[in-house]
């Protein structure tokens, strides 16, 4: 095991060196005689540098983001010239999303985040926390929260996995798979779960696509924190994690820590869950979590869609745990 950890640590170090070197080389190149660059070459260089810097920030190189504010954010900001412009989606990475699409900074107690509720009224006392997948803006996540509320009859709060475009989102997903670099959504979710279960409260998570990767990584972090900081044994930590219910839909994770109660929905024709998740058929190469229920089905249209394909197949959690699917 120690050899494996050493290899992972070495990989992370080499990755940081490589991308740090790329960023440094690009910056050094730009210090040369800029007058020799044509307008088009300058555009290409700037775009390339932007990709390198964005990737570097995604895997934790020189990545600094200070959350020095608290409260909700929903109104547009005023850009130069007095033109109204919405904040970049990445500004809300790891934020909670509540009623009316308003965002609340990480660390805000769940009780202080107004949840999205069904139009016909709440029919269950559970509050669901939904983590979205790639290429999903805060506005798009808000639409999903409303659908989840109608489907579950419960209160729903979003944990936002911000998008910076599909390319960089996919790169970040690779980092989540290898547990490389910092992901604000992972940190926020881990802190939330830890706070809730150590104070005797249950947690119900729902996650789509990369959101399942974020959930797996966050739950693993919580287990480690319970063992390292709180001195629990692995069995004790996993026993406390039994307070967590998890539902994944087209998840991009192939492994989940033991302890939580899991239900995984997998479309056999979904390339994400097929190639990166639990796969189209039962196999011993994945780890869905001890005692997990995996519900596999086949849908050709919009194979990876959460709103259209996965959510309509969701059944109440207790029914799903008994294998009672529609």
């Amino acid at each position: 095991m120690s050899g494996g950890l050493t290899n992972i640590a070495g990989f992370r170090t080499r990755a940081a060196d490589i991308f740090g070197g790329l960023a440094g080389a690009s910056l050094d190149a730009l210090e040369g005689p800029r007058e020799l660059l044509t307008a088009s070459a300058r555009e290409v260089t700037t775009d390339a540098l932007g990709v390198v810097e964005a990737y570097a920030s995604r895997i934790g190189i020189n990545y600094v983001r200070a959350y020095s504010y608290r409260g909700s954010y929903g109104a547009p900001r005023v850009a130069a010239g007095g033109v109204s412009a919405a904040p970049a989606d990445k500004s809300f990475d790891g934020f909670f999303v509540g009623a009316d699409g308003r965002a609340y900074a990480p660390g805000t107690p769940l009780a202080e985040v107004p949840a999205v509720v069904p139009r016909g009224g709440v029919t269950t006392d559970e509050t669901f926390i939904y983590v979205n997948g790639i290429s999903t803006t805060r506005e798009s996540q808000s639409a999903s929260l409303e659908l989840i509320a109608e489907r579950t009859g419960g209160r729903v709060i979003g944990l936002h996995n911000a998008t910076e475009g599909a390319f960089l989102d996919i790169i970040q997903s690779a980092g989540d798979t290898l547990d490389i670099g910092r992901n604000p959504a992972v940190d926020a979710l881990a802190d939330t779960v830890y706070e809730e279960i150590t104070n005797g409260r249950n947690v119900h998570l729902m996650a789509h696509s990369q959101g399942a990767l974020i959930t797996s990584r966050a739950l693993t972090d919580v287990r480690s924190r319970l063992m390292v900081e709180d001195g629990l044994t692995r069995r004790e930590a996993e026993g406390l994690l039994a307070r967590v219910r998890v539902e994944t839909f087209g998840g991009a994770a192939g492994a989940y820590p033991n302890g939580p109660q899991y239900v995984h929905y997998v479309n056999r024709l979904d390339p994400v869950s097929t190639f990166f998740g639990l796969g189209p058929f039962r196999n011993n190469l994945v780890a869905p979590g001890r005692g997990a229920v995996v519900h596999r089905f086949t849908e050709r249209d919009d194979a990876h869609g959460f709103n259209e394909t996965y959510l309509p197949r969701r059944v109440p959690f207790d029914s799903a745990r008994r294998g009672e699917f529609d």
Side-chain angles (χ1 to χ4, degrees):
M1 178 64 72
S2 61
L5 292 174
T6 301
N7 290 337
I8 292 174
F11 176 82
R12 292 177 182 171
T13 301
R14 289 194 296 274
D17 289 343
I18 290 171
F19 287 98
L22 285 173
S26 298
L27 290 169
D28 290 342
L30 290 180
E31 291 301 322
R34 293 177 181 266
E35 64 274 11
L36 297 180
L37 294 173
T38 65
S40 59
R42 185 179 292 112
E43 289 180 6
V44 171
T45 303
T46 301
D47 289 345
L49 179 58
V51 170
V52 171
E53 290 178 336
Y55 187 93
S57 73
R58 279 295 201 177
I59 64 172
I61 302 173
N62 296 327
Y63 183 68
V64 177
R65 176 173 294 167
Y67 291 114
S68 58
Y69 38 86
R70 287 293 184 266
S72 66
Y73 294 78
R77 61 182 171 83
V78 177
V83 178
S84 178
D89 194 70
K90 67 179 180 179
S91 300
F92 299 101
D93 211 358
F95 275 52
F96 295 112
V97 179
D100 298 322
R102 299 186 70 84
Y104 298 79
T108 303
L110 285 180
E112 296 181 11
V113 180
V116 176
V117 297
R119 290 189 298 269
V122 173
T123 58
T124 176
D125 60 358
E126 281 195 295
T127 295
F128 300 84
I129 301 174
Y130 171 62
V131 188
N132 60 280
I134 70 168
S135 299
T136 303
T137 64
R138 182 166 57 98
E139 291 76 17
S140 296
Q141 186 184 24
S142 294
S144 294
L145 298 181
E146 294 178 2
L147 293 175
I148 294 172
E150 296 300 326
R151 184 71 181 181
T152 63
R155 300 173 178 84
V156 187
I157 296 172
L159 192 290
H160 191 52
N161 167 35
T163 182
E164 294 185 74
F167 176 70
L168 292 179
D169 288 354
I170 291 172
I171 289 176
Q172 186 189 45
S173 297
D176 288 333
T177 301
L178 298 171
D179 196 17
I180 296 175
R182 174 177 177 265
N183 184 330
V186 171
D187 296 342
L189 184 60
D191 288 344
T192 298
V193 171
Y194 178 86
E195 180 69 20
E196 293 299 300
I197 66 175
T198 55
N199 282 283
R201 295 186 289 270
N202 296 333
V203 181
H204 197 140
L205 306 178
M206 300 177 71
H208 175 238
S209 193
Q210 187 196 0
L213 264 176
I214 290 169
T215 299
S216 173
R217 190 176 178 187
L219 292 173
T220 301
D221 288 352
V222 172
R223 184 180 64 183
S224 297
R225 183 173 176 182
L226 290 170
M227 295 170 64
V228 174
E229 295 184 14
D230 298 342
L232 302 185
T233 65
R234 179 179 289 269
R235 176 172 295 186
E236 290 170 336
E238 291 177 354
L240 193 53
L241 280 168
R243 287 186 171 277
V244 184
R245 291 180 161 191
V246 181
E247 299 179 65
T248 72
F249 304 85
Y256 299 83
N258 293 331
Q261 306 171 59
Y262 294 102
V263 174
H264 304 289
Y265 292 80
V266 176
N267 180 9
R268 295 186 182 90
L269 299 182
D270 180 351
V272 174
S273 54
T274 293
F275 295 109
F276 305 105
L278 297 176
F281 306 104
R282 182 175 181 178
N283 68 86
N284 294 325
L285 299 178
V286 297
R290 185 171 52 238
V293 173
V294 183
H295 176 54
R296 293 181 171 90
F297 61 91
T298 303
E299 174 60 54
R300 185 177 303 276
D301 295 333
D302 195 15
H304 188 56
F306 175 73
N307 294 349
E308 297 80 6
T309 298
Y310 278 103
L311 187 58
R313 285 176 169 76
R314 190 260 179 193
V315 300
F317 190 81
D318 290 335
S319 298
R321 292 283 292 176
R322 293 191 297 266
E324 299 171 356
F325 297 96
D326 295 338

